[in-house]
């Protein structure tokens, strides 16, 4: 079962953000305003897989990976909200580079290359790997049709690996497993 970011009570939302932050390695110190605003821009059912923060265009941005897109949010004190996103299907490449304490994430689509600097070192690799896995899952979604028992075992194994990589939650794994086992 997926998490309902749009309708979750603040305490549950905070717990989910803490879980994601711990998994990715972001401290959320500079992007609390953006995180509070995030549920209002998510589509119904859209799942947050990861987030991190860094400098882009001279401002601090929250970079959020969902199961559908990468969202860039900057909620300034004076000028309001700046928001842009790239559908995962449109991302050509995502890469990361780390230094002693901080790193850089680069995201390229057909029109633009975005460079996010001063990202916590430990979140660079985790975020880019999650994005890569989410992009791959969009290209090759898990098929639910069953043709033979070996195929079901292979699909369950693939789903288990996605859970280990953090692309799927345990609840999502259980949902997919139930569909696989119930398929004719």
């Amino acid at each position: 079962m997926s998490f309902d970011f749009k309708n979750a009570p603040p305490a549950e939302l905070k717990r989910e953000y803490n879980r994601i932050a711990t998994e990715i390695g972001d401290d959320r110190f500079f992007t609390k305003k953006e995180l509070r605003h995030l549920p209002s821009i998510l589509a119904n059912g859209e799942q947050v897989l990861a987030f991190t923060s860094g400098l882009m265009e001279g401002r601090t941005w929250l970079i959020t990976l969902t199961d559908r897109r990468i969202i860039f949010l900057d909620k300034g004190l004076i000028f309001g909200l700046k928001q842009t996103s790239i559908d995962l299907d449109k991302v050509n490449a995502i890469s990361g580079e780390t230094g002693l304490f901080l790193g850089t994430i680069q995201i390229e689509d057909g029109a633009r290359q975005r460079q996010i600097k001063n990202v916590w070192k430990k979140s660079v690799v985790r975020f880019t790997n999650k994005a890569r896995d989410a992009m791959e899952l969009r290209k090759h979604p898990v098929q639910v049709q069953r043709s033979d028992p070996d195929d079901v075992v292979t699909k369950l194994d693939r789903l288990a690996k996605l859970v280990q990589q953090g692309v799927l939650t345990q609840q999502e794994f259980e949902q997919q497993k139930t569909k696989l086992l119930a398929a004719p």
Side-chain angles (χ1 to χ4, degrees):
M1 193 158 121
S2 57
F3 187 83
D4 185 0
F5 286 88
K6 291 189 82 59
N7 300 308
E12 285 182 32
L13 195 57
K14 184 176 180 178
R15 267 194 303 276
E16 184 64 7
Y17 284 162
N18 285 340
R19 184 193 66 77
I20 294 169
T22 300
E23 184 179 318
I24 296 301
D26 189 83
D27 66 1
R28 298 163 294 154
F29 183 74
F30 295 107
T31 53
K32 290 178 183 174
K33 295 184 310 272
E34 288 83 358
L35 278 170
R36 280 193 297 273
H37 186 71
L38 182 61
S40 68
I41 65 159
L42 292 173
N44 287 330
E46 189 170 13
Q47 295 300 296
V48 174
L49 305 176
F51 55 73
T52 191
S53 58
L55 291 177
M56 185 172 71
E57 301 168 350
R59 294 184 304 274
T60 301
W61 291 75
L62 174 70
I63 299 88
T64 304
L65 170 67
T66 75
D67 57 342
R68 302 175 192 179
R69 58 190 169 150
I70 298 174
I71 303 168
F72 302 87
L73 284 177
D74 175 29
K75 188 150 176 51
L77 294 171
I78 300 170
F79 297 110
L81 176 72
K82 290 183 171 77
Q83 165 189 336
T84 187
S85 68
I86 309 170
D87 289 341
L88 286 180
D89 299 335
K90 305 275 192 236
V91 175
N92 293 338
I94 183 164
S95 59
E97 188 177 304
T98 58
L100 191 56
F101 297 107
L102 302 172
T104 302
I105 295 174
Q106 292 187 35
I107 302 170
E108 300 176 33
D109 63 11
R112 189 170 169 199
Q113 178 179 2
R114 291 167 177 86
Q115 187 174 59
I116 304 97
K117 297 179 179 181
N118 293 351
V119 178
W120 285 114
K121 176 182 178 177
K122 60 186 171 183
S123 69
V124 170
V125 173
R126 294 173 187 173
F127 187 93
T128 55
N129 286 347
K130 267 214 188 266
R132 179 205 60 218
D133 294 342
M135 290 163 44
E136 187 64 26
L137 189 60
R138 296 272 299 180
K139 289 178 189 171
H140 308 287
V142 177
Q143 300 296 319
V144 182
Q145 300 172 350
R146 183 180 353 176
S147 56
D148 65 48
D150 288 337
D151 192 39
V152 172
V153 171
T154 302
K155 289 177 183 176
L156 285 172
D157 184 51
R158 184 173 174 210
L159 287 169
K161 287 179 183 171
L162 291 173
V163 171
Q164 290 173 344
Q165 294 170 347
V167 174
L168 292 178
T169 65
Q170 187 63 37
Q171 293 170 332
E172 291 167 327
F173 170 79
E174 293 298 330
Q175 274 184 325
Q176 293 298 321
K177 178 176 135 183
T178 302
K179 286 181 186 177
L180 277 172
L181 296 175

